[in-house]
Amino acid sequence: MEGENNKSIAHQIGGIQNDALRFGLSGVKSDIVGSHPLESSYKSARMVEEDIKRKLLGLNYGSAFNLRRDLDRQILSRFQRPPGAIPSSMLGLEAISGDLDNFGFEDYLNDPRESETVRPLDLHHGMEVRLGLSNGPVCPSFI
């Protein structure tokens, strides 16, 4: 009798990951094909550049400076608004990492979140994902 009491059915809270009504249709091409070669080259060059900058700052200001930068980066990367109509800008993290100087596509084109084809954000599902009660993206992207 003790063995029968311990039997339970494992399930995920919030449904399955392949919920097409909530998360949209998944594309097979994006699972097979990696990113564009130029994008991967850009990411690797940026990582090398950050590593060199980190070493130079360590030589100039000491190893404690890099530890403090890492701690500040961790703190500012966690600070976000709750999911809703106004997205988090992460301005402090952009200021520390130097991304304020970068001119991205959203600066001269429209922000993809302001498109007419964006699905409205489900606040309850977003908070469930953030608290770990549900799986999937916080916000479905496009219709």
Side-chain angles (χ1 to χ4, degrees):
M1 290 222 177
E2 292 178 13
E4 294 177 10
N5 293 337
N6 293 336
K7 292 182 180 179
S8 64
I9 298 174
H11 65 282
Q12 295 178 351
I13 298 174
I16 59 175
Q17 181 71 21
N18 298 328
D19 188 0
L21 293 176
R22 183 178 276 181
F23 305 124
L25 297 174
S26 62
V28 177
K29 184 178 179 183
S30 63
D31 295 339
I32 296 172
V33 179
S35 61
H36 193 272
L38 187 59
E39 182 181 2
S40 62
S41 173
Y42 174 74
K43 286 181 181 178
S44 65
R46 185 171 171 133
M47 288 178 60
V48 169
E49 182 182 334
E50 287 178 4
D51 188 40
I52 291 171
K53 185 176 180 180
R54 181 178 174 82
K55 287 179 183 176
L56 287 174
L57 288 173
L59 290 173
N60 287 336
Y61 300 111
S63 61
F65 184 76
N66 282 330
L67 294 174
R68 180 172 177 157
R69 281 185 70 218
D70 291 341
L71 185 63
D72 290 343
R73 185 179 304 249
Q74 287 176 4
I75 290 170
L76 291 172
S77 66
R78 290 184 192 152
F79 179 73
Q80 290 184 348
R81 288 187 177 119
I86 303 173
S88 293
S89 62
M90 307 293 272
L91 184 64
L93 184 63
E94 288 180 6
I96 283 184
S97 64
D99 287 340
L100 287 175
D101 300 333
N102 294 340
F103 192 74
F105 75 93
E106 63 273 356
D107 293 328
Y108 63 91
L109 297 175
N110 288 337
D111 189 3
R113 292 176 295 224
E114 296 173 0
S115 173
E116 296 174 357
T117 59
V118 174
R119 292 182 184 173
L121 180 66
D122 182 18
L123 177 68
H124 298 290
H125 176 68
M127 286 305 296
E128 287 175 359
V129 170
R130 184 172 288 176
L131 295 173
L133 299 175
S134 181
N135 293 331
V138 175
C139 175
S141 57
F142 296 100
I143 295 176

